[in-house]
Structure formats: C-alpha cells, structure tokens
Amino acid sequence: MSNSTDQPGLKPLRLSDDFTPPSYEEWRKVVESQLKGVPFEKAMITPTYEGINLQPIYREEDAADLPHTDSMPGFDSFIRGTDPLGYVVKAWDVAQQAPSSSDPKQVNAVLKKELMRGLDRVSVRVAAAEQLRIKNEELRMAEQIDPPTPLPKGGADNSLPKGGASEQSRAEGNRLKAVLQLNTIEDMEALLEGIDLRAVAIDFKVDGVPLKIAELLQDWCKKHGINLHDVEGSITGVGCQVSDDRAEQKDNRLKAELQAKLQFVHWMKKHAPKMDAISVDTSVYHNRGASAVEELAVAFAIAVEKIEELSNHHISLLGDGGMKIDDIASRIRFEFCIGSNFFMEIAKLRAARYLWANIVKAYGGHTDSQKITMHTKTSQYNKTIFDPYVNILRSTTEAFAAILGGTDSLHVDAFDSVIREGDEFSRHIARNQQLILKEETHLDALVDPAGGSWYIESLTNQLAEKAWALFQEIEGKGGMSKAHDFIDDKIKAIAALREKNIRSRKDVIVGTNMFANPYEDILVGACGSTPMNDCVGAHDNTPENMENKAEQMGVLPCAPTRLSKPYETMRLAVERHIYTAGKRPAVFLATMGTIAQYKARAEFAQGFFSAAGFKVIEELGFATVEDAVKAALESGAEAVCICATDDMYPELVPHIDLLLRKAKSDICLILAGYPTDMVETYKSQGIDEFIHIRADVVDTLSRVLKKVGVAL
C-alpha cells in the first residue's frame, strides 16, 4: 500500500512549515496563565542541594557561550572523555568488590566464578598484620583515656570521623580482622590461583604498607611468568596513618610516612607502570550527605595535597628530589560515589575531567597526565533495608548515569549490601545490571552520549564553577587537612536539609517514607532470606541482636549515614514490639461522610502510618459518629484517625472524642489535616496529633508510637 502522502491531493506534513515555533517569552506567558497565581520561580524552577536552580526547559542559547562546547572527545579539557573513541574500543571495566573473608581460598573461589560470568575487574581489601597490631594498640590506649559509649539510637550524627575510641573505631578493628591478610607468597598464591592477571585488572586496597603487597605481587608474577609491567589495576593504601601525635614524635612520624609514600610511588612507577598507586576516595563525604559540589572540591583538594607532599617543594626537606607532576598525576585514581540525581551525576563526572585537566595543566603537567582516571560506585546513602529490591532500580539508574558520564570502571553494590554481606544471588544481580547496560543497551558503543545536551552542558558548567570556587576556598584555608572543620560544617548543613526533606516527604524514598509495605518480610543477614518474624526467637536472631550485630560488623543499617535511617528506626521498633507483644500496632481510619469527603485524606493517612509499620484499618465511610466509634473499638486499634473535610470537623471532633474516651480513655486520637485557626480548639477537645503534608513524619509517628506503647 502506498504511503498516504503520495496520494493525489495530499502533501507531506512538515511541522516547521505548518507551525511557527513559539518564543521562550510566549511559552512562559502561557505557562504563567496556567499557574493560577503561583509565581513561576516557585512552581517551575527546581533548586538543588548544589545551589543550582534547574530551569523547566533549556534552549540553545543556554549552552551557546560555554567555553567547552566546541571541544571534542579525547582533546582539550577532556570534558567529553579522555579517549576520542569513547567506549567503542574499550568499554568501562565491570568491577566488583571481593566479599569480606580472612580466607584467601574462599575469596579466590568467588572471584573465579564471577570472572567466568562477566566480571573483568576485581577489588580486594587487604589488611596487613602490622596494621592490625597498630589498630589494636590504638584502641587499647584510647580505652584507657576514653571509656566506650554506645552509639545513639535516634537522630543522625553527620560529623566526619576524627578518630578516638568510638564505636566506629571498634567496628573498624573488627572489620580488619575479617578481611584478607596477605603476608606470604603462599597467601598470594591462594588468592590468585587460576586467575590470569594479563586479562583481568585487579585493585588492592591495603590497610597497612602497600609496598609489601606490591612486592608480593611482583614475586607472584615472576613465579608465573608474568611481567608486572603488563598488569593493570591499582595498589593503594587506606587508613595506614599511625595516630601517635605526641609532639616529640610527630615530625619524625610525618617524615617517615612521607618517605614511605614517595618510596612506594617511585617503586610503582618503575615496576608496575600500568597500576595506580594513589587513591582519592570521596565516598565518606558522599555517604554523609555531601552534594556534588563538595565531592568535587574535596576530591581535588585532597589530590592537590598529595601532589604537594610528593613534589619537590616538600620532599626536598627530606633530602630527596621528589617527584614530577606527570609521575604523580598519572598514578592517581579517583573514586566517586554516584547518587540518585541522574543528570547531576552525569555532569559531576564530566566536570571532574574538566577540573582535573586544568589543575594538572596549572602544574605544568603533560597532556596525557591531564586525563583523569575515575572509578565509580553506587551510593549507599540512599539505599534501604526495607523494600530492598527497590535498591536494584536505584543502583541501575546510578550505574546508567556513571556510564553516560564516562566512568573508567564501575562497581554496583548488591541490593542487600546495607543489610548483610551480599550472597551469590544478589552479587549476580548487581553484576548483571552492568552487563545488561553493556550488552543489551549497547552503551559500550557510544562516544559521549551526553555531549551537546543544552541541559547537561549548562549543568556541567555551573557545577564546575561552584566546585572550583569551593576548591579555592579550601586552598585559601591551607588545604584539605586544615579545612576539615570547614568542610564538615558544610556537609552537616546539607545533610540536615536532606534529612528535613526526607522527614517531611518532600523528598521521596519509595518503599520507606512513601508507598511502604508494613507487612513485608525483612531480609535478615543471619537468617539468610528468612522473614524476620519467622526467625526471631530462634538462637540469637532477635531484632535487638540483629541491630547489635550490624553495629559490630560495621554494617550500615545502624550507622548514621543513610537517609532512610529515621524511618527504619521506627520500623525496627515496631518489629521488636511485634516480637514482644505479639501484635502489630494499628490505626483505625474513621472515614466520615461520602467517598468524595474522606477519600483524599484517607489515602494520605494510609501512606503516612504505613511508613512506621502500622496496620491501617479502613472501612467505607460512616454515616454517623456512633457507627464509626463502634467499629473503631471493635477493631482493637490503639489509635484512631478522623478523615473528613475541614467543614465537618467542628461537629465531628468533640463528638468522636467524647464517645471514644468514654469507652477507652487512653486511645490516641489523630486528625487528618491541619486547620490552622482550629488547631488549639481541637487539641482542647482531645486531638493528640495532626497529620498533614507539612508535618515532620518521623517526629509525628514517633510520638504516636510512644502513645500506643511502642518503645523507641
């Protein structure tokens, strides 16, 4: 059949000929006419935690004057990528952290299985025996000065760790004992048996002296006929500073640490040129609530500090010639967490390439040294222990953003990683999330897919400018080591705003503060996938013991580093109550009048109370107060929420309160809505709580839980 446009009398439809494109001013005028008096800026412009105002639409002129829009991938500022062909020749590395275990054979078995199933880069956390001795000595001395205090059960402490005999320090000591110790060639043999390092990149994160691990790896390579020059990956030290700050030893200790760093980087340059030796990891800042601005500024402030301490300016004090910028910059590996703001995270990685290129250029670095190496990992800050399968959707979106932003390697956390050590199934899903994006979505065939987007180009530029300004502030205060409190305060302020928006549900966590399922089976680490209420009471698997184990293991559910924690605290309290009292606390919805009169508030109440794990009992609307009160009492609910219109409340509230209190004086009475001019009156008539769109959900529900006998 011929196309209709070829038939006589018909002409092809060309929108550009038949419709005149409206100007921005015309479009805005129409939009404002539909807002019914609400200011355009309030309704249509979205502020971000980075201090950037997102516009409702972006136009060509928004990106026309940006300094980088004429650049090409692989050239100039590298904002569009460090390789002219993007992922076409070499895609990002599908990476995964090895499971925690002190047994190298066990880790090896997992790695070999996963390498056969699509993994092409592995990361192994290693604890040197010397580092364990240091950590134990630190804790022993700290305990004598500062007895241990328990972690707070409520609220959030968003300050950055500063050492001392904290619960975090003890958890770190316990964690170190559970990770690998590679002290002999036999240990390395057990870890790498059957793994071809000519085909697989490997990252060693070392708690201790990384040079010892590097030399062990060199010995292993010689034994197996592999040239260490050809091995790709990284060997970097983490947490290996000795915390002895006595004045008479401090200078000597700092010089010794600096000399050790210099020796290690020199060694890596000579013997392992394809392996990075310096790590700049901003995950601790991201997972405490930092915005993309702080992440970028802190990353480059840390990197500049490392450049300075390894360069001629400082190393000359030790009688050594130091290192050149090209030797240092080419050995640095940046690690960024990717959060839930999809386009912001794309812009963050693009801005990182731009900023790093300019920093290295300012030091006189060669073009190749200006190319940043970025490893990314999905955020834990936004992950949840309730409705955990939603974490798969969150981390897939984050992985997608990291890839579009041009990451070099990517780790996707297992969906249950904030609950327990990921098992074979959850690690399999995490790995396949990347493989689907690569093999089925064909993102490995793209070159800077975000390039040219007016929105992303504009966002990248704004983010780079703000991050650069903060970076300069940090440098003006003497560098990152001296600006700790300054950055800490900034992150605490942003984290507090994030928590406020989560508590009021202005920001949504699906399955936690919105659309929660109070009856879900909770994944419990020690019980595998057994529902919590089926396994509590068996052995030591009570909710209380689960929380204590999580703290001891350093697992995140009880750490103050995730947005969902305030809600999870309530949900866990309800689970404890069910375990001890044998009953889920319930709220009865007294829906009064017609469906039109109560439906909106009843739906709101359903979601509101479900966020704490309440059983919500709802029936069709009641015609009389007597019928509603009778049904509420028969339900056995500890709380009743009145749902109707503001016009109906003056008559309903006193009547319902009178009948309810007469039969059950300690019942908790709640009103859906917040009629400002009547709040005090309703309180005097017996209303205990109000639920409404501006309420602090956590505070309100916590008070209700306490009133119905749930211990928090």
Side-chain angles (χ1 to χ4, degrees):
M1 181 180 293
S2 63
N3 190 291
S4 60
T5 58
D6 296 331
Q7 297 177 17
L10 296 178
K11 65 176 183 178
L13 176 64
R14 293 187 177 88
L15 295 178
S16 60
D17 293 341
D18 298 331
F19 298 93
T20 303
S23 66
Y24 174 80
E25 289 71 23
E26 291 172 324
W27 170 84
R28 177 163 174 164
K29 185 176 180 180
V30 172
V31 170
E32 289 177 333
S33 70
Q34 304 296 312
L35 294 179
K36 299 179 180 179
V38 179
F40 180 89
E41 288 74 15
K42 182 178 181 179
M44 302 299 294
I45 294 178
T46 305
T48 72
Y49 293 107
E50 289 75 16
I52 295 172
N53 291 323
L54 302 181
Q55 301 300 315
I57 62 172
Y58 284 81
R59 300 163 290 157
E60 185 176 6
E61 48 264 46
D62 290 316
D65 298 325
L66 300 183
H68 65 267
T69 50
D70 291 334
S71 64
M72 298 294 289
F75 296 94
D76 302 323
S77 63
F78 304 110
I79 201 167
R80 302 194 61 195
T82 56
D83 192 302
L85 294 178
Y87 290 144
V88 174
V89 174
K90 186 184 186 304
W92 73 94
D93 287 336
V94 177
Q96 203 155 21
Q97 176 79 35
S100 298
S101 173
S102 58
D103 183 356
K105 292 183 179 179
Q106 184 179 12
V107 175
N108 172 266
V110 174
L111 293 182
K112 284 196 294 188
K113 184 183 294 184
E114 294 182 346
L115 286 167
M116 293 294 291
R117 291 166 171 78
L119 197 66
D120 47 36
R121 188 182 191 110
V122 297
S123 177
V124 182
R125 190 74 181 260
V126 181
E130 175 66 10
Q131 180 62 10
L132 285 176
R133 185 194 65 75
I134 291 170
K135 177 59 69 175
N136 288 334
E137 180 64 16
E138 287 178 353
L139 289 173
R140 185 188 67 78
M141 295 182 65
E143 295 290 0
Q144 296 174 358
I145 301 169
D146 181 19
T149 55
L151 284 174
K153 291 294 182 185
D157 175 13
N158 292 303
S159 60
L160 299 179
K162 297 182 182 180
S166 64
E167 290 293 331
Q168 182 171 349
S169 295
R170 292 185 191 87
E172 177 70 2
N174 291 332
R175 187 198 58 74
L176 286 177
K177 295 174 184 176
V179 300
L180 277 179
Q181 295 183 50
L182 298 182
N183 299 313
T184 66
I185 188 65
E186 289 76 21
D187 293 335
M188 190 68 78
E189 283 281 2
L191 174 66
L192 298 178
E193 187 274 324
I195 296 176
D196 187 356
L197 292 188
R198 289 166 294 196
V200 177
I202 187 166
D203 299 310
F204 288 97
K205 293 189 172 185
V206 186
D207 288 287
V209 182
L211 183 57
K212 293 181 179 179
I213 302 300
E215 290 173 339
L216 275 179
L217 182 63
Q218 183 185 47
D219 292 342
W220 182 89
C221 286
K222 287 180 180 177
K223 183 175 180 179
H224 291 271
I226 297 174
N227 190 340
L228 186 57
H229 281 69
D230 299 327
V231 176
E232 296 184 3
S234 65
I235 303 176
T236 57
V238 290
C240 55
Q241 284 77 24
V242 182
S243 62
D244 182 358
D245 286 331
R246 286 174 289 180
E248 66 271 20
Q249 296 185 12
K250 186 174 182 180
D251 288 343
N252 289 335
R253 176 177 60 83
L254 291 175
K255 287 183 179 181
E257 287 180 356
L258 204 53
Q259 186 66 56
K261 290 178 184 177
L262 178 66
Q263 180 184 4
F264 172 64
V265 178
H266 266 304
W267 191 98
M268 291 291 285
K269 175 191 173 185
K270 180 179 180 181
H271 299 287
K274 292 185 178 180
M275 300 190 81
D276 297 318
I278 304 168
S279 173
V280 176
D281 187 348
T282 62
S283 59
V284 67
Y285 302 94
H286 172 95
N287 287 321
R288 288 181 179 272
S291 78
V293 170
E294 286 77 41
E295 285 184 73
L296 290 172
V298 165
F300 297 124
I302 293 172
V304 164
E305 204 160 71
K306 290 179 183 293
I307 290 172
E308 290 291 325
E309 70 179 7
L310 292 173
S311 66
N312 290 331
H313 179 65
H314 288 287
I315 301 299
S316 60
L317 298 175
L318 306 177
D320 194 295
M323 298 189 71
K324 304 301 182 184
I325 180 61
D326 291 328
D327 297 329
I328 303 169
S330 60
R331 294 287 173 275
I332 296 179
R333 178 178 188 251
F334 289 85
E335 297 189 23
F336 293 108
C337 282
I338 303 297
S340 57
N341 189 334
F342 182 72
F343 293 104
M344 188 67 72
E345 297 303 323
I346 296 173
K348 182 171 76 179
L349 299 189
R350 301 177 92 244
R353 284 195 294 272
Y354 177 70
L355 293 173
W356 182 240
N358 279 278
I359 289 172
V360 177
K361 185 185 296 183
Y363 273 101
H366 188 271
T367 301
D368 284 343
S369 302
Q370 297 169 22
K371 298 178 180 180
I372 194 171
T373 299
M374 291 188 293
H375 173 71
T376 53
K377 45 195 174 184
T378 53
S379 172
Q380 289 200 322
Y381 188 63
N382 62 353
K383 301 306 184 293
T384 64
I385 66 174
F386 289 93
D387 208 352
Y389 295 101
V390 180
N391 291 335
I392 299 174
L393 303 179
R394 296 185 181 108
S395 57
T396 299
T397 301
E398 292 159 4
F400 189 21
I403 294 164
L404 294 185
T407 187
D408 296 299
S409 59
L410 172 63
H411 165 85
V412 175
D413 267 324
F415 70 86
D416 55 351
S417 63
V418 297
I419 304 169
R420 61 193 182 188
E421 183 80 60
D423 59 16
E424 183 175 352
F425 170 73
S426 61
R427 290 173 65 85
H428 169 78
I429 294 296
R431 191 168 57 253
N432 277 1
Q433 288 171 253
Q434 291 201 59
L435 295 177
I436 288 172
L437 290 171
K438 178 181 283 189
E439 304 293 342
E440 296 187 23
T441 314
H442 303 297
L443 296 183
D444 60 342
L446 300 176
V447 181
D448 186 31
S453 162
W454 301 328
Y455 173 32
I456 295 177
E457 297 290 11
S458 176
L459 189 59
T460 299
N461 187 68
Q462 291 182 77
L463 183 56
E465 288 180 346
K466 287 185 174 293
W468 184 254
L470 181 57
F471 166 76
Q472 289 180 311
E473 277 193 81
I474 295 171
E475 290 301 292
K477 294 180 182 298
M480 190 59 202
S481 60
K482 294 182 179 179
H484 184 283
D485 290 341
F486 168 69
I487 288 296
D488 192 14
D489 289 342
K490 278 189 169 294
I491 293 176
K492 278 198 263 188
I494 294 170
L497 180 57
R498 289 186 193 272
E499 183 174 341
K500 178 183 177 183
N501 290 338
I502 287 296
R503 292 168 74 102
S504 66
R505 301 199 297 181
K506 181 178 180 180
D507 289 349
V508 172
I509 305 177
V510 174
T512 299
N513 71 347
M514 290 280 271
F515 313 111
N517 174 15
Y519 308 108
E520 71 172 285
D521 291 335
I522 303 170
L523 298 182
V524 178
C527 301
S529 58
T530 306
M532 175 179 281
N533 292 323
D534 290 346
C535 72
V536 293
H539 307 293
D540 59 350
N541 294 327
T542 64
E544 292 94 332
N545 287 337
M546 289 302 148
E547 290 183 87
N548 292 335
K549 284 182 179 179
E551 288 184 9
Q552 293 165 9
M553 294 168 60
V555 180
L556 285 175
C558 297
T561 53
R562 290 179 305 114
L563 282 171
S564 57
K565 186 195 172 190
Y567 289 90
E568 291 169 354
T569 298
M570 294 189 295
R571 290 287 296 274
L572 289 171
V574 168
E575 294 297 327
R576 286 195 299 268
H577 181 80
I578 296 170
Y579 175 66
T580 56
K583 182 184 179 222
R584 182 180 295 277
V587 176
F588 182 88
L589 302 188
T591 51
M592 305 303 299
T594 65
I595 292 179
Q597 290 172 315
Y598 70 75
K599 183 176 184 293
R601 279 178 168 162
E603 289 180 348
F604 177 83
Q606 179 84 38
F608 197 99
F609 292 113
S610 293
F614 278 99
K615 175 183 180 181
V616 181
I617 304 169
E618 180 183 359
E619 299 182 14
L620 294 176
F622 296 97
T624 68
V625 167
E626 289 75 12
D627 289 342
V629 170
K630 181 175 182 293
L633 293 172
E634 289 177 349
S635 73
E638 298 90 342
V640 173
C641 180
I642 307 171
C643 300
T645 65
D646 285 356
D647 293 341
M648 298 168 68
Y649 285 156
E651 181 180 348
L652 292 174
V653 170
H655 196 180
I656 290 176
D657 177 70
L658 179 64
L659 294 181
L660 273 177
R661 304 287 185 191
K662 186 176 180 180
K664 191 175 181 181
S665 61
D666 62 344
I667 200 163
C668 181
L669 190 57
I670 305 160
L671 191 70
Y674 197 78
T676 308
D677 56 341
M678 292 293 290
V679 166
E680 294 305 318
T681 299
Y682 293 148
K683 285 181 180 179
S684 68
Q685 292 175 347
I687 296 297
D688 295 304
E689 294 291 343
F690 298 83
I691 63 169
H692 53 94
I693 197 170
R694 294 180 300 278
D696 184 315
V697 180
V698 175
D699 281 352
T700 303
L701 288 175
S702 295
R703 291 193 298 268
V704 174
L705 285 170
K706 290 177 182 177
K707 287 173 183 174
V708 302
V710 177
L712 294 175

